[in-house]
């Protein structure tokens, strides 16, 4: 199958590579020509602009955007809407706000151009591990693009099957889900990332407590010097909190137990805020997720070891490099 990819950053370029490994043809474009040249050397077709990308695709065309949420994505969709023809498809695989998806789908529907919102989880490791996909949009379009989603998804792997799933959609076990109508894909991904904030915060706070077990706030007989790197490693081996986030934490602590290369300043990328906003709109209590978001705000004024752990996890799964701001912890 053929796919156009717009945006060749940390995830976009590797999505192209994973698709090409499965025999799909990709036409690619990025405002920076260098990643396009690199992918062309690996078998992709590099376009000089969006018009060239559309011209390089056969109808019906499928164009995937992997761009930052906001004005850049909005501008690209508007330009593509003027270049594509009825029956073509625009896919937004970035972390867009789900209400924007509903609006965009309606605007494109008037031109008979389909729109899919695809929440994409996998970060910089997706090339090898695959991408967990949460898809919103018309069922017939999702079915048409199934070869693309199947190639990107992780597959069943060595994860045990869940008992009682007989008769359900087996694509979910492969790591991709048609979540519902337009907006559903990014809504599900938004909540996924909100939960991620809470899980990361719990791990970070736990290691902060461990690291300070020798605090002078404690009586001498209660003080302990603990090896947090070794604790992270043993927890990876069969404990109930085993997870990829714990794996990333263990890797970072093994390299530097003090995490001295991290400032403790932690960014948020939007989805945590949107998750809390959805909780307010639905009148659903979300104390843990809200507190995790507020901790990131606080980290930009006052840092602790916990925030360094958060930064280490963010760099591990997404390649995020925090700015060097504020006082050191």
């Amino acid at each position: 199958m053929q796919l156009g990819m717009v945006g060749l950053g940390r995830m976009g370029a590797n999505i192209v590579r994973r698709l090409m490994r499965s025999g799909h043809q990709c036409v690619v474009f990025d405002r920076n020509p260098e990643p396009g040249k690199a992918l062309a050397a690996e078998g992709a077709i590099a376009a000089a602009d969006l018009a060239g990308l559309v011209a390089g695709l056969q109808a019906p065309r499928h164009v995937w955007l992997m761009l930052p949420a906001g004005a850049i994505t909005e501008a690209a969709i508007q330009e593509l809407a003027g270049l594509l023809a009825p029956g073509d498809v625009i896919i937004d695989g970035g972390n867009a706000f789900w209400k924007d998806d509903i609006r965009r789908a309606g605007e494109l529907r008037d031109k008979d151009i389909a729109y899919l919102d695809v929440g994409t989880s996998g970060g910089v490791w997706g090339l090898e591990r695959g991408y967990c996909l949460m898809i919103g949009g018309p069922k017939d379009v999702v079915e048409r693009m199934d070869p693309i989603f199947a190639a990107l998804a992780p597959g069943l792997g060595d994860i045990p099957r869940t008992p009682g799933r007989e008769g359900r959609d087996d694509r979910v076990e492969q790591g991709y889900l048609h979540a519902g109508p337009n907006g559903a894909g990014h809504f599900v991904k938004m909540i996924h990332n909100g939960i991620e904030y809470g899980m990361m915060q719990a791990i970070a706070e736990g290691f902060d407590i461990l690291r300070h077990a020798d605090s002078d706030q404690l009586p001498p007989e209660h003080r302990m010097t603990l090896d947090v790197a070794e604790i992270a490693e043993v927890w990876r081996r069969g404990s109930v909190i085993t997870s990829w986030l714990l794996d990333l934490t263990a890797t970072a602590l093994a390299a530097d137990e003090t995490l001295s290369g991290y400032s403790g300043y932690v960014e948020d990328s939007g989805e945590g805020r949107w998750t809390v906003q959805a909780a307010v709109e639905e009148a659903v209590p979300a104390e843990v997720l809200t507190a995790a978001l507020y901790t990131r705000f606080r980290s930009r004024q006052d840092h602790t070891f916990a925030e360094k752990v958060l930064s280490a996890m963010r760099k591990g799964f997404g390649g995020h490099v925090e700015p060097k701001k504020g006082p050191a912890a």
Side-chain angles (χ1 to χ4, degrees):
M1 194 170 177
Q2 203 181 39
L3 183 79
M5 175 62 72
V6 179
L8 305 175
R10 289 188 298 262
M11 291 182 69
N14 280 344
I15 286 174
V16 169
R17 291 187 174 98
R18 189 169 174 91
L19 288 174
M20 291 195 297
R21 286 182 181 181
S22 295
H24 297 285
Q25 183 187 50
C26 294
V27 182
V28 302
F29 167 69
D30 192 284
R31 290 184 297 178
N32 176 2
E34 295 308 314
K37 291 177 183 177
L39 287 169
E42 299 174 37
I45 300 170
D49 52 26
L50 289 179
L53 180 136
V54 170
L57 296 170
Q58 299 173 354
R61 302 168 188 85
H62 306 83
V63 181
W64 185 304
L65 305 182
M66 211 66 192
L67 299 169
I72 294 175
T73 296
E74 198 71 39
I77 290 174
Q78 291 300 317
E79 184 174 350
L80 284 168
L83 295 168
L84 295 172
D88 293 343
V89 183
I90 294 175
I91 308 101
D92 183 3
N95 286 324
F97 185 45
W98 63 279
K99 292 181 182 179
D100 289 337
D101 294 316
I102 295 173
R103 171 183 54 79
R104 291 168 181 164
E107 294 168 352
L108 292 168
R109 196 177 300 118
D110 294 338
K111 299 175 179 288
D112 200 21
I113 297 171
Y115 178 86
L116 299 181
D117 50 285
V118 180
T120 307
S121 182
V124 297
W125 298 89
L127 176 60
E128 301 301 331
R129 294 169 61 107
Y131 299 90
C132 177
L133 305 173
M134 296 141 269
I135 308 161
K139 182 178 180 180
D140 61 325
V141 180
V142 175
E143 296 287 345
R144 186 207 306 177
M145 293 196 64
D146 190 76
I148 295 292
F149 301 137
L152 291 175
L156 188 62
D158 59 0
I159 299 174
R161 290 196 130 123
T162 301
R165 280 195 52 84
E166 294 79 13
R168 290 179 174 269
D169 187 349
D170 60 6
R171 292 174 297 184
V172 175
E173 290 185 312
Q174 303 299 315
Y176 64 111
L177 164 72
H178 182 202
N182 283 119
H186 279 147
F187 187 88
V188 173
K189 177 57 161 52
M190 174 185 77
I191 302 304
H192 165 281
N193 283 23
I195 293 170
E196 177 187 293
Y197 278 40
M199 293 174 66
M200 291 172 68
Q201 187 63 34
I203 292 171
E205 290 179 7
F207 278 99
D208 204 359
I209 296 169
L210 290 168
R211 183 172 179 268
H212 289 92
D214 61 352
S215 170
D216 58 12
Q217 301 295 313
L218 300 168
E221 66 272 21
H222 292 168
R223 296 176 192 170
M224 296 177 285
T225 300
L226 301 174
D227 189 327
V228 292
E230 295 294 85
I231 293 168
E233 185 61 30
V234 77
W235 281 351
R236 293 182 60 222
R237 310 293 174 172
S239 82
V240 296
I241 63 168
T242 297
S243 65
W244 187 22
L245 293 173
L246 184 58
D247 293 345
L248 296 170
T249 303
T251 299
L253 290 171
D256 175 9
E257 191 170 332
T258 67
L259 300 179
S260 58
Y262 298 92
S263 69
Y265 181 106
V266 186
E267 290 280 12
D268 69 286
S269 52
E271 297 88 344
R273 300 188 190 205
W274 298 337
T275 298
V276 172
Q277 179 181 332
V280 171
E281 291 175 351
E282 297 170 11
V284 172
E287 296 96 333
V288 171
L289 307 188
T290 302
L293 174 65
Y294 286 172
T295 296
R296 296 195 179 197
F297 296 163
R298 195 261 303 142
S299 78
R300 296 160 204 174
Q301 301 172 6
D302 179 37
H303 317 315
T304 69
F305 183 74
E307 276 76 65
K308 292 186 177 185
V309 177
L310 288 176
S311 290
M313 282 187 272
R314 294 188 81 237
K315 183 178 180 182
F317 67 71
H320 305 290
V321 178
E322 310 286 9
K324 301 291 186 183
K325 297 182 179 179

